[in-house]
Amino acid sequence: MVVLVLALLAAPLRPVLAQSLFLLRDVEIETTLRELSDPIFRAAGLDPSSIRIYIVNDNSLNAFVAGGQNLFLNSGLLITTETPDQLEGVIAHETGHIAGGHLSRAQVAMQNAGTQALLGTLLGLAAAAMGAPQVGIAAMAGGLTVAQGGFLKFSRGQEQAADQAAVRLLGDLGQSPEGLLQFFRILDSDDLRVSGRADPWLLTHPLTSSRIEFLQNQLAKSPYAGKQIEGPAVERHARMRAKLDAFLAEPSDALRRWQDDDTLAGRYATAIALYRIPRLNDALAAIRQLIKEHPDDPYFHELEGQMLYENGRLAEAAGPYRAALRLLPRSGLLKLGLAKALIDSDDPADLAEARQQLVDTTVAEPGNAEAFRLLATAEGRLGNEGAAAMAMAEYHLRTGQFDDARRFARRASQMIQPGDPGFLKLQDLQAAIDVLPADSRNRRTN
């Protein structure tokens, strides 16, 4: 179930990104990315569980790391990669940034650049005060130029180091850098108009042509030249590309692209496009045929549940979600999907099951704000007002509404007493909220 989420990023990420991102959540795509990424992380000496992977809803061919061990992959990049080898190469490059500590070094380089610029400005102001404004202007401009040039040179060096690290990591996995080379050729064709005219000294990255030359040389020396990823990973990559395209493109365009493609990925994309047009009966027929052929595929069951849920057939949607969960019982996103169907069906008999699924989701995905919001709904309908208030405090905490988080935590503390279930959790929540600043969005002016 591809879900679009407006991510108000945590404070450590904001200085890097300076804006919110529209993120995509989908258990199948996230699993595919994990299966490809985790061996690379381990080869770099990193703990895969400490690295979070985000899918950004953006058509540009970009990937980046930010805020520590956070890897961001644009949907445009995922769709454009033609093979899992190409995507593996990009992930290996970004892993090189993480393993090399490039983010912390970049902060130091930016601070140094700022110091150089400030020094130039001070010298310029001093010269202007002494009656030489032309000298002052030149000094200020010179300071900025030196600062900018130093940082750009640093940035290009970091990119070169990440390319070298990618080659090493791929070699450790028994893979050649051919996939990364192929992707850079795609990238080169995409940005040739810009890079062909740009001054290479004013770029944050080395010229793509130079990176291609480096990788060609490395490929010629690789004992793994010609080796490609094979087996199920190829199909999973194809399904990921097809699924993203079918969900993100105009439905009619996606249908034209995929309806004559008889591969599994093509039929999957066709079912999604039909559902989005919407031609629900045709979409259900298509996905149910795939389920008949592949009854142990949890993602086909999940898509049937999503189709039914989003078309108001709530009671029917719970069955496919349960089938998906039987096949993938630890998935927080599948539990969330089932809980939404149960809550929105307005059947009191389903509330206890919905509550348990949401509790499990908050354990599996403690950062999932929607799970806490829905948990508050379920607890409230079950008459557990203290637990509902605590869940709402958790929701507001995760969405950055700190004053509201405090208000609901206080309400919960009036109803949850020592010895009650959830009392210790409430104490931890209040301690976390107490150290937070006031939320300016909730302040009122008199």
Side-chain angles (χ1 to χ4, degrees), residues 302-377:
E302 180 198 22
L303 181 58
E304 181 187 10
Q306 181 179 1
M307 290 178 179
L308 293 167
Y309 173 80
E310 293 188 359
N311 282 276
R313 294 165 63 171
L314 305 177
E316 295 176 70
Y321 277 119
R322 289 194 182 100
L325 268 172
R326 282 194 293 270
L327 295 163
L328 210 61
R330 299 177 64 181
S331 171
L333 286 181
L334 291 181
K335 291 176 183 292
L336 183 64
L338 173 57
K340 288 169 67 175
L342 294 173
I343 288 175
D344 289 347
S345 68
D346 288 328
D347 187 341
D350 291 333
L351 284 175
E353 181 185 1
R355 177 193 176 279
Q356 187 57 56
Q357 297 294 349
L358 290 165
V359 169
D360 292 346
T361 301
T362 61
V363 173
E365 296 202 0
N368 194 317
E370 184 183 14
F372 284 102
R373 181 183 63 81
L374 290 171
L375 179 59
T377 300

Side-chain angles (χ1 to χ4, degrees), residues 151-198:
F151 180 74
L152 293 176
K153 180 180 179 181
F154 169 84
S155 178
R156 291 191 296 270
Q158 297 296 282
E159 293 301 323
Q160 290 171 340
D163 288 346
Q164 293 166 358
V167 172
R168 291 195 301 273
L169 292 172
L170 292 169
D172 290 343
L173 296 175
Q175 299 289 335
S176 78
E178 187 168 2
L180 184 57
L181 172 61
Q182 291 172 355
F183 181 77
F184 275 138
R185 285 174 173 155
I186 295 172
L187 192 63
D188 192 42
S189 65
D190 185 67
D191 67 6
L192 185 61
R193 297 183 304 277
V194 176
S195 64
R197 293 194 300 266

Side-chain angles (χ1 to χ4, degrees), residues 27-207:
V27 61
E28 178 180 14
I29 296 173
E30 290 173 6
T31 300
T32 296
L33 292 175
R34 276 290 169 189
E35 290 174 348
L36 199 60
S37 302
D38 284 1
I40 301 173
F41 298 151
R42 284 190 287 267
L46 302 170
D47 178 6
S49 65
S50 68
I51 301 175
R52 300 185 67 182
I53 301 176
Y54 298 90
I55 307 165
V56 183
N57 185 25
D58 190 301
N59 289 331
S60 61
L61 307 186
N62 193 28
F64 57 96
V65 294
Q69 296 187 336
N70 298 285
L71 171 60
F72 295 80
L73 300 167
N74 281 12
S75 56
L77 179 142
L78 298 178
I79 294 171
T80 301
T81 55
E82 299 165 337
T83 66
D85 305 82
Q86 293 177 9
L87 180 54
E88 180 186 55
V90 173
I91 293 171
H93 170 90
E94 298 302 330
T95 302
H97 282 305
I98 297 174
H102 292 176
L103 287 178
S104 59
R105 295 180 185 179
Q107 291 176 349
V108 173
M110 291 178 69
Q111 290 171 355
N112 290 339
T115 300
Q116 289 177 325
L118 177 61
L119 180 59
T121 299
L122 292 174
L123 290 173
L125 291 173
M130 295 294 291
Q134 293 84 358
V135 175
I137 292 171
M140 286 187 282
L144 291 172
T145 300
V146 170
Q148 180 191 49
F151 180 74
L152 293 176
K153 180 180 179 181
F154 169 84
S155 178
R156 291 191 296 270
Q158 297 296 282
E159 293 301 323
Q160 290 171 340
D163 288 346
Q164 293 166 358
V167 172
R168 291 195 301 273
L169 292 172
L170 292 169
D172 290 343
L173 296 175
Q175 299 289 335
S176 78
E178 187 168 2
L180 184 57
L181 172 61
Q182 291 172 355
F183 181 77
F184 275 138
R185 285 174 173 155
I186 295 172
L187 192 63
D188 192 42
S189 65
D190 185 67
D191 67 6
L192 185 61
R193 297 183 304 277
V194 176
S195 64
R197 293 194 300 266
D199 183 344
W201 304 110
L202 297 179
L203 297 175
T204 58
H205 291 54
L207 290 175

